[in-house]
Amino acid sequence: MYRVLVADSMSEEGLLPFKDNPSIELVQKKVSEVESSLSNFDALLVRSATTVNEDLLVKMPNLKIIARAGVGVDNIDVDAATKYGVIVINAPDGNTISTAEHTFAMMASLVRHIPQANISVKSREWSRTSFVGMELAGKHLGIIGFGRIGSEIAKRARAFEMKIHVFDPFLTKARAEKLGVDLCTLDEVLAIADIITVHTPLTKETKGLLGNENLAKTKKGVYLINCARGGIIDESAVIEYLENGHIAGMALDVFEVEPPINNRLLEFDQVITTPHLGASTREAQLNVANQVAREVTEFFQGKPVTSAINMPALSKDIYDKIQPFYDLSKKMGILLSQCMNEPIQEISITYAGSVTDLETSFISKGLLAGFLKARIDTTVNEVNAAMVSKSLGITFGDKISSNNYGYSNSISVIAFGENKSFEIRGTYVPNYGGRIVNLDGFNIDFIPEGNLLYILHRDRPGVIGRVGKILGDNEINIATMQVGRREIGGEAIMMLSFDKPLKKEVVETLLHVPDIVTIRKIEI
Ligand SMILES: NC(=O)C1=CN([C@@H]2O[C@H](COP(=O)(O)OP(=O)(O)OC[C@H]3O[C@@H](n4cnc5c(N)ncnc54)[C@H](O)[C@@H]3O)[C@@H](O)[C@H]2O)C=CC1
Ligand SMILES: O=C(O)C(=O)COP(=O)(O)O
């Protein structure tokens, strides 16, 4: 049974995938209402109201996935989630149209003074001259941040016959041309726009983007709109510009602190506001809740998540192609960890052949997670593997090579310790599965699975027979056995597999066999 906590208000209909699933228990309560049972939850669903910080994550040791039913994840400490191996997903496009429409409604309201006029009429005034507005047609609209919402705004602005100027450092000229917008520098947008609307995420770079320095570059009489995140427009910097009339008006759906109780901006008549309503339509809420509910349900069924923030997002098709290599690499990591049980400084992975067409970074994280999981007593998975390895001082890298050792695909990993290194090479054979084809320089061929025994010995007659006798005397059935050697009479290896784990005493007896150098008991 998986327990899901929905901590913010969400569309009931959108949550149906949980309600229809007998293996999921759904709890719809605020975090503060379930303080004593936080440790039981496997999934946490939030909107923007719940702050997910490290303190909360520590109280939720069973948590596997956090789903943001919306776009912005600035209320979630994604780094902390990554550290604890918790996947963070969002619903990136479910509320795009609603937010674009809300921005447009704000723009029209702003230039036609609709909220102020509404209050005036309801106060029994009839003051038509106080609310003379400005036409949108022919005006220059500056859009900062031209992603999903920004580009939907542009479509609507075109219908209103506005001239559209866009600043987005990640937007290519070709795409801007295709979308029919004028791609500008930030300064160009600031200088030309009659109305500026921001649609970026809140990041270190965008925090205070419209602050003192850039506000000074805007036209006198400019209108500003923020339906993205509080803080992109610096709330304290705009005060002076509102007071001296440089900013003609502002429309704010979002604030640096929500709700904006002591916010001076609320005192200005020319500032119109809504309480973070961009995504608040029935359609958007149904979309985002349903999107994350479906994805979390699939995640519990072992399927890939497609909109993860802290790991590569893979479609089902791509994941199906990656999965055999991912499974092999994870097993290689577990094997490596047990073959070389000493401190490691570096792990290096090399891919060759057909596997290089796939998202190898995901495969590498699987290997690293397998390696670390076998060693340290903490939750390690592909989400936090890179971070955990860094904290342990293990350098980790992967590369592509043209040497596929004669296989159609090849994954090699080498771990470097202080005095020695250990290399494992594997390949995936369709219909036969993942196989290890080289172990520390010995050509071999075995399936990395189950209870294994790796024996390094000198290549002398009788060693294999003596090992077989000891196992037989102990009533131990050998399931499979593979041998390999570098040269006649040199070092050689045996890889045996058993139906049951081998007892420690048997391993100790085997160690006394002359010519056996080392033995490693391996469980995968
Ligand atoms: N008010 C509300 O209820 C809602 C607010 N939002 C917010 O709207 C914002 C945009 O959402 P989407 O369009 O879905 O995101 P998106 O990721 O599709 O677009 C963001 C765009 O900002 C651009 N960008 C990033 N850094 C930039 C910078 N320094 N300068 C200029 N552009 C930059 C990116 O290249 C990207 O194209 C987010 O902050 C999101 O949280 C989203 C939905 C509802
Ligand atoms: O999706 C977003 O980024 C939003 O800002 C919407 O926030 P909400 O889910 O309405 O609290």
Side-chain angles (χ1 to χ4, degrees):
M1 176 70 83
Y2 293 105
R3 299 194 80 212
V4 176
L5 176 62
V6 175
D8 289 329
S9 85
M10 275 178 216
S11 153
E12 291 295 328
E13 195 187 338
L15 297 175
L16 280 179
F18 291 139
K19 295 177 186 164
D20 292 345
N21 190 323
S23 65
I24 289 179
E25 185 187 332
L26 181 64
V27 177
Q28 289 172 267
K29 288 200 168 139
K30 287 197 178 113
V31 166
S32 57
E33 294 168 341
V34 284
E35 276 286 341
S36 59
S37 57
L38 282 172
S39 62
N40 297 334
F41 291 102
D42 301 277
L44 172 64
L45 267 68
V46 296
R47 285 176 60 192
S48 59
T50 299
T51 301
V52 185
N53 54 21
E54 186 154 2
D55 287 351
L56 178 59
L57 290 168
V58 169
K59 292 179 194 159
M60 304 188 82
N62 262 323
L63 196 62
K64 295 161 187 72
I65 186 162
I66 300 167
R68 170 32 167 141
V71 180
V73 288
D74 41 298
N75 54 322
I76 300 169
D77 186 339
V78 178
D79 286 345
T82 306
K83 182 168 133 192
Y84 292 101
V86 179
I87 295 176
V88 180
I89 62 165
N90 69 352
D93 47 23
N95 61 25
T96 304
I97 299 294
S98 289
T99 311
E101 287 182 358
H102 189 74
T103 308
F104 230 86
M106 290 292 252
M107 188 171 1
S109 302
L110 187 62
V111 297
R112 300 305 294 269
H113 316 295
I114 291 171
Q116 299 89 334
N118 174 52
I119 293 173
S120 167
V121 174
K122 288 190 171 170
S123 312
R124 307 294 185 266
E125 292 169 2
W126 192 253
S127 179
R128 298 175 63 204
T129 49
S130 312
F131 302 112
V132 175
M134 176 180 96
E135 268 186 5
L136 292 177
K139 296 299 177 305
H140 296 276
L141 174 66
I143 304 179
I144 299 180
F146 203 65
R148 287 174 294 258
I149 296 168
S151 45
E152 287 299 327
I153 306 266
K155 281 192 206 162
R156 284 149 184 79
R158 200 168 299 120
F160 273 70
E161 297 176 20
M162 300 183 81
K163 295 171 185 149
I164 306 154
H165 312 274
V166 165
F167 168 66
D168 187 320
F170 307 106
L171 181 67
T172 60
K173 237 185 166 142
R175 189 165 148 72
E177 259 166 38
K178 194 170 160 223
L179 296 168
V181 292
D182 173 30
L183 181 59
C184 301
T185 63
L186 179 59
D187 281 359
E188 284 166 348
V189 168
L190 298 174
I192 200 168
D194 300 301
I195 303 169
I196 299 175
T197 183
V198 293
H199 298 284
T200 68
L202 180 67
T203 62
K204 277 203 273 329
E205 287 74 32
T206 61
K207 191 166 194 291
L209 186 76
L210 291 188
N212 255 318
E213 195 187 328
N214 284 332
L215 288 170
K217 298 175 185 167
T218 58
K219 265 188 189 170
K220 183 162 169 42
V222 69
Y223 288 92
L224 302 182
I225 304 170
N226 188 358
C227 289
R229 274 296 173 276
I232 299 171
I233 300 180
D234 183 336
E235 288 179 0
S236 55
V238 289
I239 302 274
E240 183 193 330
Y241 291 84
L242 283 163
E243 278 172 346
N244 65 22
H246 183 95
I247 297 176
M250 275 177 76
L252 299 176
D253 183 46
V254 288
F255 300 85
E256 287 175 13
V257 176
E258 293 179 6
I261 311 236
N262 293 317
N263 194 318
R264 274 201 60 200
L265 292 175
L266 304 188
E267 293 163 17
F268 290 88
D269 282 346
Q270 67 272 47
V271 175
I272 66 168
T273 62
T274 45
H276 202 146
L277 289 184
S280 291
T281 61
R282 274 188 304 279
E283 294 85 351
Q285 284 315 307
L286 174 61
N287 287 343
V288 293
N290 196 254
Q291 221 168 315
V292 292
R294 267 190 290 116
E295 191 143 16
V296 169
T297 309
E298 287 180 1
F299 169 75
F300 286 145
Q301 290 163 355
K303 295 187 186 150
V305 288
T306 53
S307 55
I309 306 287
N310 52 357
M311 58 189 273
L314 304 173
S315 69
K316 168 97 178 62
D317 282 2
I318 297 194
Y319 182 77
D320 287 348
K321 286 188 188 132
I322 284 186
Q323 197 185 18
F325 297 100
Y326 170 76
D327 288 347
L328 169 65
S329 75
K330 199 154 191 165
K331 288 174 180 169
M332 286 173 70
I334 301 171
L335 177 64
L336 181 66
S337 190
Q338 297 176 73
C339 284
M340 190 161 166
N341 54 1
E342 63 176 71
I344 302 291
Q345 290 159 335
E346 188 185 334
I347 291 181
S348 168
I349 305 173
T350 307
Y351 296 96
S354 59
V355 64
T356 60
D357 296 336
L358 302 172
E359 170 77 51
T360 50
S361 70
F362 186 73
I363 302 172
S364 297
K365 287 200 180 113
L367 193 151
L368 194 58
F371 177 84
L372 294 168
K373 211 176 176 72
R375 288 189 163 221
I376 57 174
D377 182 22
T378 169
T379 317
V380 191
N381 55 26
E382 29 300 305
V383 177
N384 61 0
M387 202 183 241
V388 172
S389 98
K390 199 169 168 199
S391 71
L392 294 171
I394 301 173
T395 325
F396 161 68
D398 52 15
K399 58 180 189 288
I400 282 173
S401 156
S402 55
N403 184 0
N404 56 8
Y405 302 94
Y407 296 96
S408 69
N409 61 76
S410 159
I411 305 177
S412 308
V413 58
I414 179 157
F416 297 93
E418 271 180 345
N419 304 310
K420 66 175 205 172
S421 62
F422 198 98
E423 185 168 7
I424 296 176
R425 202 155 62 233
T427 188
Y428 167 67
V429 186
N431 304 322
Y432 288 94
R435 313 193 69 95
I436 302 300
V437 291
N438 193 285
L439 201 67
D440 207 22
F442 295 99
N443 288 327
I444 195 161
D445 182 358
F446 69 95
I447 300 168
E449 213 165 76
N451 303 294
L452 304 171
L453 197 67
Y454 165 55
I455 302 177
L456 177 68
H457 62 99
R458 279 176 283 274
D459 181 32
R460 300 272 155 75
V463 182
I464 294 175
R466 278 193 284 273
V467 168
K469 179 162 187 330
I470 292 170
L471 293 172
D473 289 349
N474 284 278
E475 310 259 306
I476 295 162
N477 193 27
I478 300 173
T480 64
M481 181 173 181
Q482 297 286 323
V483 293
R485 65 180 180 190
R486 286 201 182 101
E487 64 202 45
I488 299 171
E491 279 189 322
I493 59 168
M494 280 180 237
M495 185 59 83
L496 301 111
S497 75
F498 308 98
D499 304 322
K500 286 188 287 196
L502 220 55
K503 289 205 181 95
K504 211 168 142 206
E505 307 83 77
V506 180
V507 178
E508 273 158 16
T509 313
L510 287 171
L511 264 172
H512 290 114
V513 171
D515 292 315
I516 284 187
V517 184
T518 51
I519 298 186
R520 297 250 186 275
K521 203 174 142 211
I522 291 160
E523 279 171 36
I524 299 180

